[in-house]
Amino acid sequence: MTLELDDLRVRTLGECHHDSPFAEMLATKRTSPHYVHEDDRVLVDDTVSVLLSRGVPIDRLPSLEAAGPRRKVYFDPAATRVGIVTCGGLCPGLNDVIRGIVQELTEHYHVARIYGFRNGYAGLTRQHRERVVELDLHAVRDINNDGGTILGSSRGDQSPEEMVDTLVELGIHVLFVIGGDGSMRGAMKITQEIDSRGLDVAVIGIPKTIDNDLPYTDQSFGFQTAFAQSTEFIASVFVESQAAENGVGIVKLMGRHSGFIACYAALSNNDADFVLIPEVPFVLEGPHGVLRRIEDHVRRHGQVVIVVAEGAGQELLEQEGGTTDASGNTKLGDIGLFLKQKVTDHLTEVGLPPTVRYLDPSYAIRSVAANAYDSVYCVRLAHAAVHAGMAGRTETVVVRWRRRFVHIPMGLITSHRNQVDPDGDLWMSVLEATGQPASFEP
Ligand SMILES: Nc1ncnc2c1ncn2[C@@H]1O[C@H](COP(=O)(O)OP(=O)(O)OP(=O)(O)O)[C@@H](O)[C@H]1O
Ligand SMILES: O=P(O)(O)OC[C@H]1O[C@](O)(CO)[C@@H](O)[C@@H]1O
Ligand SMILES: [Mg+2]
């Protein structure tokens, strides 16, 4: 990895001259294992061997700016106008983040106005501009008890020029974008347009993905809730498979390119015998193929449970020819139904006619309210985002990295995908828990 310290510096709009409402509270704080001073930096790497392999002095090691309140801020709080938008697929915790941002801006910074854009970036376009809603403490009260987002969301292309026109028209100084990789790409185009017009507007991202596929963050908010929801479906097919002769339970879980939900859900209740994820290719046929292994399992135990991530085994499916959704994301073939058919055919052929219970909980795992852990995470991310925006950080994303809330340049969050490492300890745990072979290839 060729990451250098200078790649990790976030952009600021300029010097901070306004008094922060947190100045007094911060005056006596010292750096400790629980608090990182705003001038201190958090290391990217956490092993001695990687640190040594960097071969640079300690102050040149790759590190990240600590998030949190500043003694001075860039924007004059009383004159500041803010916008919030949620884009892409739903994720548990979106309402917690919205509420956290509005509370922090209202109760501590006392900003002038907070606007919520309706239905993703579409809400910033000329056509939908008038649907903007004003957000205050009353509007966000209790919204965290519900899944989804009070602002709505969307996919699809929007013009950065039109969106920046809207920011200018409403006099917005800070835009908070809560979204996934596509949303962050969109946010960077908005920043470019802001820059090309020489405007003084900050754009702060809060990364959202139930798939946990964004890099430079410990785990994305909502992921824990989503995999916890998934476990109930695995438990159901396990019970069903146990009660039937040659019982087969299959659960397909979200995860386009990354199998984190499948791995964590399977580990959580330990009922899965096979976990199939996009990062680990497999073959179906042959003496080492998945079908034969499933057959062996059914012969030995009378039942089997398979958890498959939606992006797994795509190379085995006949693709419909590069179809994409409104945002340009490739539409995947249905590996769950395909597997269900293949397993049914195979077990029938070898004289083990199965009873197959197939569940695709799909939206049921992401449309729920955040659990207590994710709610805490969301509100802390929201606070960090507000402090970053008020301090004039821009093209910046707030993340938690190795327990710390930090700032990273927006470009890094879209630089690659976070995926399950087939050589890593998570996949090893899955292999240990399921007992499935490390490879299905000869
Ligand atoms: N390559 C891109 N360039 C500019 N804007 C983009 C790009 N991709 C997506 N967007 C914008 O971001 C919005 C959300 O993108 P997308 O639908 O891909 O979801 P996402 O943010 O990646 O979230 P998720 O994939 O987790 O659902 C789109 O409506 C579009 O306006
Ligand atoms: O059907 P939609 O809303 O486009 O979203 C489906 C996709 O969204 C995700 O949940 C990511 O947000 C993926 O796991 C899934 O493939
Ligand atoms: Mg995406």
Side-chain angles (χ1 to χ4, degrees):
M1 194 162 71
T2 54
L3 202 58
E4 310 240 339
L5 178 57
D6 293 333
D7 304 327
L8 299 165
R9 297 201 190 279
V10 296
R11 276 185 58 198
T12 67
L13 290 172
E15 289 281 310
C16 293
H17 294 301
H18 296 278
D19 286 334
S20 155
F22 291 88
E24 204 179 320
M25 202 192 281
L26 294 172
T28 55
K29 285 194 182 293
R30 287 167 210 280
T31 295
S32 77
H34 307 286
Y35 172 68
V36 178
H37 189 274
E38 62 185 276
D39 297 329
D40 201 358
R41 295 182 65 91
V42 174
L43 286 176
V44 170
D45 307 312
D46 71 349
T47 64
V48 174
S49 59
V50 172
L51 285 169
L52 286 173
S53 73
R54 298 278 183 193
V56 294
I58 289 179
D59 62 355
R60 294 297 306 166
L61 282 168
S63 61
L64 301 161
E65 181 176 78
R70 268 54 192 162
R71 289 167 174 75
K72 293 274 180 188
V73 289
Y74 181 76
F75 291 107
D76 173 9
T80 302
R81 289 168 167 244
V82 170
I84 307 176
V85 65
T86 51
C87 320
L90 294 186
C91 177
L94 286 166
N95 281 333
D96 300 67
V97 177
I98 296 169
R99 185 179 180 192
I101 292 175
V102 173
Q103 268 188 325
E104 188 72 8
L105 286 167
T106 309
E107 293 195 334
H108 295 288
Y109 286 99
H110 304 291
V111 298
R113 288 252 187 293
I114 309 171
Y115 295 110
F117 295 103
R118 299 302 317 274
N119 296 107
Y121 284 135
L124 278 104
T125 57
R126 195 172 304 122
Q127 199 189 346
H128 299 292
R129 212 173 274 168
E130 72 284 354
R131 294 175 62 202
V132 69
V133 287
E134 206 158 324
L135 297 173
D136 56 18
L137 289 179
H138 178 71
V140 299
R141 198 180 151 74
D142 295 345
I143 61 170
N144 48 307
N145 292 331
D146 294 322
T149 154
I150 55 158
L151 296 178
S153 191
S154 68
R155 299 195 190 275
D157 238 8
Q158 284 80 32
S159 139
E161 293 80 12
E162 260 187 56
M163 293 195 278
V164 173
D165 286 348
T166 301
L167 298 180
V168 171
E169 195 170 291
L170 294 172
I172 283 175
H173 302 97
V174 187
L175 175 66
F176 293 99
V177 177
I178 314 168
D181 58 331
S183 307
M184 296 306 145
R185 287 193 181 92
M188 284 191 288
K189 292 208 174 135
I190 292 175
T191 320
Q192 272 167 24
E193 181 62 23
I194 288 169
D195 290 347
S196 73
R197 298 190 197 182
L199 300 172
D200 211 19
V201 178
V203 180
I204 302 293
I206 299 116
K208 170 237 59 148
T209 151
I210 59 158
D211 294 356
N212 195 38
D213 57 358
L214 293 173
Y216 300 108
T217 178
D218 290 347
Q219 243 177 28
S220 48
F221 76 80
F223 166 72
Q224 195 190 82
T225 306
F227 83 71
Q229 281 298 111
S230 310
T231 60
E232 305 198 4
F233 297 91
I234 302 175
S236 303
V237 298
F238 174 69
V239 170
E240 289 281 341
S241 72
Q242 271 199 316
E245 195 160 349
N246 305 325
V248 177
I250 303 178
V251 181
K252 186 181 92 169
L253 294 172
M254 280 192 172
R256 266 190 197 134
H257 307 282
S258 306
F260 288 104
I261 297 176
C263 290
Y264 273 80
L267 283 172
S268 167
N269 67 0
N270 225 334
D271 286 336
D273 304 300
F274 294 91
V275 178
L276 305 173
I277 59 170
E279 296 88 336
V280 181
F282 54 90
V283 295
L284 287 180
E285 312 293 342
H288 303 282
V290 168
L291 295 176
R292 183 61 186 277
R293 300 291 190 171
I294 290 173
E295 174 195 330
D296 292 345
H297 196 282
V298 173
R299 283 192 197 284
R300 268 188 286 131
H301 303 283
Q303 57 83 240
V304 67
V305 171
I306 305 153
V307 173
V308 58
E310 65 173 331
Q314 290 295 306
E315 60 285 355
L316 305 174
L317 303 171
E318 275 182 31
Q319 299 294 343
E320 285 164 26
T323 48
T324 55
D325 70 10
S327 294
N329 301 301
T330 307
K331 281 196 179 168
L332 300 178
D334 196 330
I335 185 67
L337 288 176
F338 176 77
L339 202 62
K340 176 187 177 198
Q341 192 58 52
K342 289 285 180 188
V343 172
T344 305
D345 292 349
H346 180 82
L347 291 180
T348 307
E349 249 171 55
V350 299
L352 297 167
T355 302
V356 182
R357 302 298 186 220
Y358 174 70
L359 287 180
D360 176 355
S362 196
Y363 302 107
I365 68 166
R366 72 173 202 192
S367 54
V368 295
N371 66 15
Y373 179 90
D374 271 330
S375 290
V376 173
Y377 188 8
C378 287
V379 79
R380 299 193 69 198
L381 273 173
H383 294 168
V386 168
H387 298 314
M390 292 305 294
R393 300 300 185 271
T394 191
E395 219 177 341
T396 294
V397 175
V398 292
V399 296
R400 195 181 59 190
W401 180 249
R402 308 203 194 290
R403 292 196 304 126
R404 304 288 190 180
F405 288 89
V406 294
H407 299 158
I408 62 165
M410 209 169 254
L412 280 185
I413 204 101
T414 58
S415 61
H416 63 281
R417 275 196 188 100
N418 186 33
Q419 289 194 299
V420 177
D421 178 358
D423 295 321
D425 61 342
L426 173 61
W427 187 242
M428 181 60 87
S429 293
V430 172
L431 297 181
E432 289 173 68
T434 57
Q436 77 184 61
S439 164
F440 292 104
E441 312 216 320

